[in-house]
Amino acid sequence: MVANKPAQLDPMKTLHEIEEKFEMFQILNEEGEIVNEKANPNLSDEELVELMSRMVYTRILDQRSISLNRQGRLGFYAPTAGQEASQLASQYALEKDDFILPGYRDVPQIVWHGLPLWQAFLFSRGHFMGNQIPEGVNVFPPQIIIGAQFIQAAGVALGMQKRGKKAIAITYTGDGGSSQGDFYEGINFAGAFRVPAVFIVQNNQFAISTPRELQTSAKTIAQKGIAAGIPSVLVDGMDPLAVYAATKDARERAIKGDGPSLIETVCYRYGPHTMAGDDPTRYRTSETDSEWEKKDPLVRFRKYLETKGIWSEEKEAEVIEKAKEEIKEAVKKADAAPKQKVTDLINIMYEENPYNLDEQLAYYTEKESK
Amino acid sequence: MAQMTMIQAITDALRTELKNDENVLVFGEDVGVNGGVFRATEGLQKEFGEDRVFDTPLAESGIGGLAVGLSLQGFRPVPEIQFFGFVFEVMDSIAGQLARMRFRTGGAFNAPVTIRSPFGGGVHTPEMHADSLELLMTSTPGVKVVIPSTPYDAKGLLISAIRDNDPVIFLEHMKLYRSFRGEVPEEEYTIPLGKADVKREGTDLTIIAYGAMVHESLKAAEELEKEGHSVEVIDLRTVQPLDIETIIASVEKTNRAMVVQEAQKQAGIAANIVAEITERAILSLEAPVLRVTAPDTVFPFSQAETVWLPNATDIVNTAKKVLTF
């Protein structure tokens, strides 16, 4: 009989071994070169152009949103520049039936998933019509309570599983969000029920001002999935092809019935946390900013597409023009939305008003008629 | 008609709705094979399968989030929070998410969720199990809060709660689970939410109560009857929204009122009722509207529970003050 090899008490070794296993998944490097041909999702030229167009469009949307906010024409806004690959390439890997539960910075994904842009502007302006998701658009309004979307995504995915749908729930949070209890409960529930969910942590290095290294002693956020028993991957979040491939892979596993996945996309937000007074110079240096700008998703994707001969300055100008035009139209449409009234709000509390709201409705109807 | 305990009536209501509507899902900690720590879900997993009645990992916030997500897929979740003392763990899902679902989305989504949970003192639980935290719920716009006091009411109210298209917090007083049996029809029936029940008619004083305090109030009413006082006892049944019509009609008849709640005085469901009566019926009142409540300490360690909780004697004493004012 062979004696069992006695286990060594060396938890540090176990930890380091697990951490070493998380290598950064990359397909397209900063120079726009394919460095991982085997993993290349081989998108068609048309698809590559579409994804690039969406990234350019969204960069313009971000710039315009910031400027509209400064003019007082938009309200709450969380800038997205730097995170285009992470946000849009993951959404691009979805099908229409997939359901997105976004955080508040993840408005671009739900817009590309079907939420009309004018409604996104109304959300920013604090008008309830912004969250009136049209029938057939499979998104939830942006979550404000950080992490709550993770447990809700487990619920949506469980519902899909029970309905026998061939679709997934996908949700997003940031590096800070991965410290929340709901993050752990969400990935753990989803794993325990083996539901079709994809959890994305966009590690953009700062939770408002708190740097990634203060959030956790874990070397990567991806490794947190291991404890929940779900496959996890660390992805270059500035690389649209890597994000696309990782999301597609996770989605396919989910659809097959192999349960949820966790994806950490390592990225950077160039702008402030939100437009409500955050000043990034208080917590990060311009050197760090420029280091990350060299990794820019648009720059590398543009180089790649230009080398393939499917992108040009003219094409880009066309997309920018289209974006500006559509943004202008969407602002106009948002402007035309009826002024929000307290009486409207009273009427969306319950299916039927209880006595107290009925009385208050009468009071505010009178008040608002003046 | 069958004689049932309140817990049996609750199981019966769950079974009725699991049968009626395939979108109804029952889940929580130990609700499956174990049938719940109080056996409220006894036999349901066996009858309806693990797809409809299932155990969750041990995390209340996760249970709440699951309910939110399942509503988004058109289900009618009926989760159990094992003890209402654990509600703090799931407060965001209740107050931050479910309560706002219809509001935040302008009606695009709603949350037809019924959260069931045992609460209330008198059964000597460990710490942090028994608190009367219903005020946390009633001060949350967007949810309804239902507290039955009899087996009959429990079944009819729970069926209504599950069928309601807005979130309902359904609180089951632990002491009432098995303390007595009552007649409960085997067929389905509903009791409308937001409607109080006059459990005893009277002409001299209105006692407004809910949950276990309904029974203490009824005992007190009997005592007072012996001394020649005719006391009306209103069982609120739904504490949010209140049945203000029934309360005011009674006060206008008796001209004297008091409110009894098991929760601390500062946990102001009673205070709100006093305010409502003052605003609507002050000219009918012959006396101040007094309250019988627990003291404003944290819910006590179990050895002090019996004294801490309001009882029929406390109610009689206060009633006399109101009657003789």
Side-chain angles (χ1 to χ4, degrees), chain B residues 191-206:
Chain B
I191 294 172
L193 306 187
K195 290 277 172 247
D197 184 37
V198 178
K199 285 281 192 288
R200 178 192 171 103
E201 288 191 18
T203 52
D204 301 339
L205 167 69
T206 301

PDB file of all heavy atoms in Angstrom, chain B residues 191-206:
ATOM      1  N   ILE B 191     -58.502  38.200   1.891  1.00  0.00           N
ATOM      2  CA  ILE B 191     -58.896  39.312   2.745  1.00  0.00           C
ATOM      3  C   ILE B 191     -58.159  40.528   2.189  1.00  0.00           C
ATOM      4  O   ILE B 191     -56.939  40.479   2.040  1.00  0.00           O
ATOM      5  CB  ILE B 191     -58.480  39.065   4.205  1.00  0.00           C
ATOM      6  CG1 ILE B 191     -59.269  37.883   4.776  1.00  0.00           C
ATOM      7  CG2 ILE B 191     -58.683  40.327   5.048  1.00  0.00           C
ATOM      8  CD1 ILE B 191     -58.803  37.438   6.149  1.00  0.00           C
ATOM      9  N   PRO B 192     -58.871  41.575   1.829  1.00  0.00           N
ATOM     10  CA  PRO B 192     -58.185  42.701   1.183  1.00  0.00           C
ATOM     11  C   PRO B 192     -57.116  43.329   2.082  1.00  0.00           C
ATOM     12  O   PRO B 192     -57.317  43.458   3.293  1.00  0.00           O
ATOM     13  CB  PRO B 192     -59.312  43.698   0.890  1.00  0.00           C
ATOM     14  CG  PRO B 192     -60.483  43.241   1.686  1.00  0.00           C
ATOM     15  CD  PRO B 192     -60.312  41.782   1.958  1.00  0.00           C
ATOM     16  N   LEU B 193     -55.987  43.692   1.491  1.00  0.00           N
ATOM     17  CA  LEU B 193     -54.957  44.404   2.237  1.00  0.00           C
ATOM     18  C   LEU B 193     -55.460  45.818   2.508  1.00  0.00           C
ATOM     19  O   LEU B 193     -56.233  46.377   1.735  1.00  0.00           O
ATOM     20  CB  LEU B 193     -53.652  44.469   1.431  1.00  0.00           C
ATOM     21  CG  LEU B 193     -53.096  43.130   0.943  1.00  0.00           C
ATOM     22  CD1 LEU B 193     -51.705  43.339   0.320  1.00  0.00           C
ATOM     23  CD2 LEU B 193     -53.015  42.097   2.060  1.00  0.00           C
ATOM     24  N   GLY B 194     -55.021  46.379   3.617  1.00  0.00           N
ATOM     25  CA  GLY B 194     -55.425  47.751   3.930  1.00  0.00           C
ATOM     26  C   GLY B 194     -56.780  47.830   4.613  1.00  0.00           C
ATOM     27  O   GLY B 194     -57.316  48.917   4.793  1.00  0.00           O
ATOM     28  N   LYS B 195     -57.351  46.681   4.952  1.00  0.00           N
ATOM     29  CA  LYS B 195     -58.649  46.689   5.642  1.00  0.00           C
ATOM     30  C   LYS B 195     -58.493  46.117   7.051  1.00  0.00           C
ATOM     31  O   LYS B 195     -58.069  44.972   7.227  1.00  0.00           O
ATOM     32  CB  LYS B 195     -59.670  45.832   4.878  1.00  0.00           C
ATOM     33  CG  LYS B 195     -60.099  46.458   3.561  1.00  0.00           C
ATOM     34  CD  LYS B 195     -61.206  47.491   3.768  1.00  0.00           C
ATOM     35  CE  LYS B 195     -61.495  48.257   2.478  1.00  0.00           C
ATOM     36  NZ  LYS B 195     -61.122  49.678   2.532  1.00  0.00           N
ATOM     37  N   ALA B 196     -58.874  46.908   8.032  1.00  0.00           N
ATOM     38  CA  ALA B 196     -58.814  46.449   9.420  1.00  0.00           C
ATOM     39  C   ALA B 196     -60.036  45.583   9.719  1.00  0.00           C
ATOM     40  O   ALA B 196     -60.967  45.499   8.912  1.00  0.00           O
ATOM     41  CB  ALA B 196     -58.777  47.655  10.350  1.00  0.00           C
ATOM     42  N   ASP B 197     -60.002  44.954  10.856  1.00  0.00           N
ATOM     43  CA  ASP B 197     -61.127  44.111  11.252  1.00  0.00           C
ATOM     44  C   ASP B 197     -61.517  44.475  12.681  1.00  0.00           C
ATOM     45  O   ASP B 197     -60.662  44.535  13.569  1.00  0.00           O
ATOM     46  CB  ASP B 197     -60.690  42.639  11.188  1.00  0.00           C
ATOM     47  CG  ASP B 197     -61.850  41.699  11.487  1.00  0.00           C
ATOM     48  OD1 ASP B 197     -62.989  42.010  11.069  1.00  0.00           O
ATOM     49  OD2 ASP B 197     -61.607  40.668  12.132  1.00  0.00           O
ATOM     50  N   VAL B 198     -62.805  44.729  12.873  1.00  0.00           N
ATOM     51  CA  VAL B 198     -63.257  44.994  14.236  1.00  0.00           C
ATOM     52  C   VAL B 198     -63.412  43.635  14.912  1.00  0.00           C
ATOM     53  O   VAL B 198     -64.329  42.884  14.612  1.00  0.00           O
ATOM     54  CB  VAL B 198     -64.580  45.787  14.233  1.00  0.00           C
ATOM     55  CG1 VAL B 198     -65.065  46.003  15.668  1.00  0.00           C
ATOM     56  CG2 VAL B 198     -64.373  47.124  13.528  1.00  0.00           C
ATOM     57  N   LYS B 199     -62.501  43.323  15.803  1.00  0.00           N
ATOM     58  CA  LYS B 199     -62.496  41.989  16.410  1.00  0.00           C
ATOM     59  C   LYS B 199     -63.490  41.922  17.566  1.00  0.00           C
ATOM     60  O   LYS B 199     -63.886  40.847  18.001  1.00  0.00           O
ATOM     61  CB  LYS B 199     -61.092  41.630  16.918  1.00  0.00           C
ATOM     62  CG  LYS B 199     -60.109  41.255  15.805  1.00  0.00           C
ATOM     63  CD  LYS B 199     -60.302  39.831  15.316  1.00  0.00           C
ATOM     64  CE  LYS B 199     -59.188  39.306  14.423  1.00  0.00           C
ATOM     65  NZ  LYS B 199     -59.097  39.826  13.078  1.00  0.00           N
ATOM     66  N   ARG B 200     -63.860  43.072  18.086  1.00  0.00           N
ATOM     67  CA  ARG B 200     -64.853  43.101  19.153  1.00  0.00           C
ATOM     68  C   ARG B 200     -65.531  44.462  19.085  1.00  0.00           C
ATOM     69  O   ARG B 200     -64.849  45.487  18.968  1.00  0.00           O
ATOM     70  CB  ARG B 200     -64.139  42.920  20.503  1.00  0.00           C
ATOM     71  CG  ARG B 200     -65.050  42.980  21.711  1.00  0.00           C
ATOM     72  CD  ARG B 200     -64.216  43.081  22.987  1.00  0.00           C
ATOM     73  NE  ARG B 200     -65.082  43.345  24.119  1.00  0.00           N
ATOM     74  CZ  ARG B 200     -65.451  42.427  25.017  1.00  0.00           C
ATOM     75  NH1 ARG B 200     -64.968  41.212  24.939  1.00  0.00           N
ATOM     76  NH2 ARG B 200     -66.265  42.744  26.014  1.00  0.00           N
ATOM     77  N   GLU B 201     -66.848  44.458  19.159  1.00  0.00           N
ATOM     78  CA  GLU B 201     -67.550  45.731  19.073  1.00  0.00           C
ATOM     79  C   GLU B 201     -67.786  46.315  20.456  1.00  0.00           C
ATOM     80  O   GLU B 201     -67.959  45.573  21.428  1.00  0.00           O
ATOM     81  CB  GLU B 201     -68.871  45.551  18.327  1.00  0.00           C
ATOM     82  CG  GLU B 201     -68.617  45.336  16.852  1.00  0.00           C
ATOM     83  CD  GLU B 201     -69.876  45.414  16.012  1.00  0.00           C
ATOM     84  OE1 GLU B 201     -70.890  45.964  16.488  1.00  0.00           O
ATOM     85  OE2 GLU B 201     -69.828  44.920  14.873  1.00  0.00           O
ATOM     86  N   GLY B 202     -67.774  47.621  20.530  1.00  0.00           N
ATOM     87  CA  GLY B 202     -67.999  48.282  21.804  1.00  0.00           C
ATOM     88  C   GLY B 202     -68.371  49.732  21.591  1.00  0.00           C
ATOM     89  O   GLY B 202     -68.300  50.241  20.468  1.00  0.00           O
ATOM     90  N   THR B 203     -68.743  50.418  22.679  1.00  0.00           N
ATOM     91  CA  THR B 203     -69.246  51.784  22.518  1.00  0.00           C
ATOM     92  C   THR B 203     -68.493  52.826  23.339  1.00  0.00           C
ATOM     93  O   THR B 203     -68.660  54.023  23.137  1.00  0.00           O
ATOM     94  CB  THR B 203     -70.732  51.847  22.921  1.00  0.00           C
ATOM     95  OG1 THR B 203     -70.859  51.261  24.230  1.00  0.00           O
ATOM     96  CG2 THR B 203     -71.601  51.090  21.933  1.00  0.00           C
ATOM     97  N   ASP B 204     -67.662  52.388  24.301  1.00  0.00           N
ATOM     98  CA  ASP B 204     -67.045  53.352  25.224  1.00  0.00           C
ATOM     99  C   ASP B 204     -65.603  53.705  24.887  1.00  0.00           C
ATOM    100  O   ASP B 204     -65.108  54.767  25.271  1.00  0.00           O
ATOM    101  CB  ASP B 204     -67.066  52.781  26.655  1.00  0.00           C
ATOM    102  CG  ASP B 204     -68.473  52.487  27.136  1.00  0.00           C
ATOM    103  OD1 ASP B 204     -69.415  53.087  26.560  1.00  0.00           O
ATOM    104  OD2 ASP B 204     -68.627  51.663  28.054  1.00  0.00           O
ATOM    105  N   LEU B 205     -64.913  52.794  24.248  1.00  0.00           N
ATOM    106  CA  LEU B 205     -63.473  52.998  24.012  1.00  0.00           C
ATOM    107  C   LEU B 205     -63.046  52.157  22.812  1.00  0.00           C
ATOM    108  O   LEU B 205     -63.485  51.010  22.661  1.00  0.00           O
ATOM    109  CB  LEU B 205     -62.683  52.547  25.260  1.00  0.00           C
ATOM    110  CG  LEU B 205     -61.163  52.384  25.121  1.00  0.00           C
ATOM    111  CD1 LEU B 205     -60.490  53.746  24.931  1.00  0.00           C
ATOM    112  CD2 LEU B 205     -60.573  51.686  26.350  1.00  0.00           C
ATOM    113  N   THR B 206     -62.176  52.739  21.983  1.00  0.00           N
ATOM    114  CA  THR B 206     -61.608  51.986  20.858  1.00  0.00           C
ATOM    115  C   THR B 206     -60.161  51.638  21.173  1.00  0.00           C
ATOM    116  O   THR B 206     -59.364  52.533  21.482  1.00  0.00           O
ATOM    117  CB  THR B 206     -61.633  52.842  19.565  1.00  0.00           C
ATOM    118  OG1 THR B 206     -62.986  53.201  19.300  1.00  0.00           O
ATOM    119  CG2 THR B 206     -61.039  52.086  18.398  1.00  0.00           C
TER     120      THR B 206
END
